[in-house]
Amino acid sequence: MRMSRRDFIRTLSATGAALSVAACSSSGKGGGSAVRFGYIADYNGASLLAIAEDRGLWKKHGLTVEPKVFVNGPVQIQALRTGNLDYGYIGPGALWLPASGKATIVAVNTLTYADRVIARPGIASIRELRGKKVGVPEGTSGEMALNLALQQAGMTMKDISKVVMDAPTVVSAFASGQIDGAGIWYPLIDTIKEKVPGMKEVASTEDIPGSSFPTAFVSAAKGKPERDQKVVKVLQEANDWRAAHQKESIALAAKLLKADEAKVAADAEHVKTMTTAELVARTKDGTVDKWLDGMSRFFVRTGQLKKSPDPSSFYAGDLYTKAAAR
């Protein structure tokens, strides 16, 4: 029986709890308000946390942090809602969750173009996946990329056999030939290429002109203003250091992820970073709202949202600009 989206999201709390037990942690010693911060094991999700730790930014702002690794954004938002997490990182495919009132975006992180639809050797286009098994982590940017590709090809999810699985399972299922295609992202695609050298990328978010896919940091829908200000300030200072020190940032992210530095560098190639000043300017001139509104309208088309909300209802732009002015 196929699990409904609502039931799927409800089951994520158990997954999140299990992951929290195995998650890595640092900065747990010393004074300061403790913050449990979720991330995904890629450059987008890990780089600012790695920089903040290395540069002593948490301590500077009177905080300590316990980073917790998760497999995707929806799991983190469920953990926020159950009180098992204070902040998290999500990719563009999970933006429908804050847009539906389940979290608040406290900071935009980057624009990412790392998502793809991939297919087994011999399948050369999205249309050739018609009727075939396609694995996808539901509610993520992998599903977003798959939906976009299907729409461009004049198809829908009904034209494929969608198989819901988490991201690590996508990798193993594709490698073993259990699925014919997948909606997934870098750096996991690099791992898949090593296992299936003839793999094909049949669709890419890089090929959609005029589109912007923001990643973001989120808190619970009802945050704690004083702590939020401190956390956002840490993220902003780490963000500016990353913008000025890309090579060093890649090295720090690789250290946190316990990953090969060359692979993290390849992952970073799909990321557009911006300075805090640029993000403040784009918040004030409405550009960030346009990015978020574009994503919301897409999620209305996919049925993940009933309507497109005002971005100010789920993006704390005032918080971000005020923190930058401190």
Side-chain angles (χ1 to χ4, degrees):
M1 180 182 295
R2 184 181 181 277
M3 186 181 292
S4 71
R5 182 180 303 279
R6 179 175 297 175
D7 289 340
F8 172 77
I9 295 298
R10 284 175 176 168
T11 64
L12 291 177
S13 58
T15 306
L19 285 167
S20 296
V21 173
C24 67
S25 64
S26 63
S27 297
K29 296 179 181 180
S33 176
V35 174
R36 298 163 299 173
F37 211 123
Y39 69 99
I40 297 172
D42 59 20
Y43 181 72
N44 268 318
S47 55
L48 293 195
L49 296 186
I51 292 165
E53 169 67 11
D54 182 75
R55 306 297 296 175
L57 300 180
W58 299 110
K59 183 178 180 180
K60 174 183 175 182
H61 292 281
L63 301 167
T64 61
V65 69
E66 182 184 355
K68 298 173 178 288
V69 64
F70 291 82
V71 295
N72 61 43
V75 176
Q76 293 176 71
I77 288 181
Q78 179 63 24
L80 289 172
R81 289 170 60 78
T82 57
N84 294 313
L85 198 66
D86 300 310
Y87 299 90
Y89 158 82
I90 62 173
L95 287 171
W96 63 278
L97 288 162
S100 61
K102 294 179 173 61
T104 296
I105 296 173
V106 296
V108 171
N109 180 26
T110 64
L111 297 178
T112 182
Y113 300 91
D115 300 288
R116 305 285 187 272
V117 178
I118 61 173
R120 298 196 62 76
I123 299 174
S125 72
I126 190 74
R127 290 184 178 87
E128 292 179 32
L129 284 173
R130 189 182 298 272
K132 298 187 182 298
K133 293 180 180 179
V134 181
V136 63
E138 195 168 33
T140 69
S141 57
E143 184 178 37
M144 175 197 75
L146 179 58
N147 266 311
L148 284 166
L150 290 170
Q151 288 177 13
Q152 285 191 316
M155 299 165 64
T156 70
M157 287 288 185
K158 295 180 181 179
D159 292 310
I160 62 171
S161 177
K162 175 183 171 183
V163 184
V164 176
M165 52 183 63
D166 63 29
T169 305
V170 167
V171 175
S172 58
F174 192 95
S176 62
Q178 296 177 50
I179 54 177
D180 304 294
I184 198 67
W185 53 84
Y186 282 95
L188 294 178
I189 293 173
D190 281 326
T191 301
I192 293 172
K193 284 180 178 179
E194 293 174 357
K195 299 175 182 294
V196 187
M199 180 214 84
K200 301 291 184 182
E201 293 184 11
V202 296
S204 167
T205 49
E206 288 183 335
D207 298 333
I208 302 174
S211 295
S212 299
F213 301 101
T215 69
F217 295 102
V218 293
S219 70
K222 292 184 179 180
K224 297 182 178 180
E226 184 177 351
R227 188 182 67 185
D228 289 348
Q229 283 275 341
K230 292 180 180 180
V231 168
V232 171
K233 190 65 178 179
V234 169
L235 294 173
Q236 290 174 340
E237 292 182 8
N239 179 60
D240 285 336
W241 196 89
R242 178 177 64 184
H245 304 85
Q246 183 182 28
K247 186 176 180 180
E248 296 94 330
S249 298
I250 289 169
L252 289 173
K255 182 179 178 181
L256 173 61
L257 297 171
K258 297 179 174 61
D260 181 79
E261 195 170 318
K263 290 185 177 180
V264 177
D267 181 25
E269 290 179 2
H270 303 290
V271 176
K272 176 179 172 56
T273 60
M274 294 158 282
T275 65
T276 297
E278 289 173 324
L279 285 168
V280 167
R282 292 177 184 185
T283 294
K284 290 181 175 180
D285 71 12
T287 300
V288 173
D289 282 359
K290 289 179 181 178
W291 295 340
L292 297 176
D293 186 59
M295 295 303 303
S296 291
R297 286 186 282 108
F298 165 72
F299 292 128
V300 170
R301 295 197 299 274
T302 63
Q304 288 161 288
L305 288 177
K306 292 183 179 180
K307 62 180 182 179
S308 179
D310 189 318
S312 65
S313 68
F314 62 96
Y315 170 48
D318 287 346
L319 168 70
Y320 190 84
T321 56
K322 287 177 182 177
R326 287 179 59 195

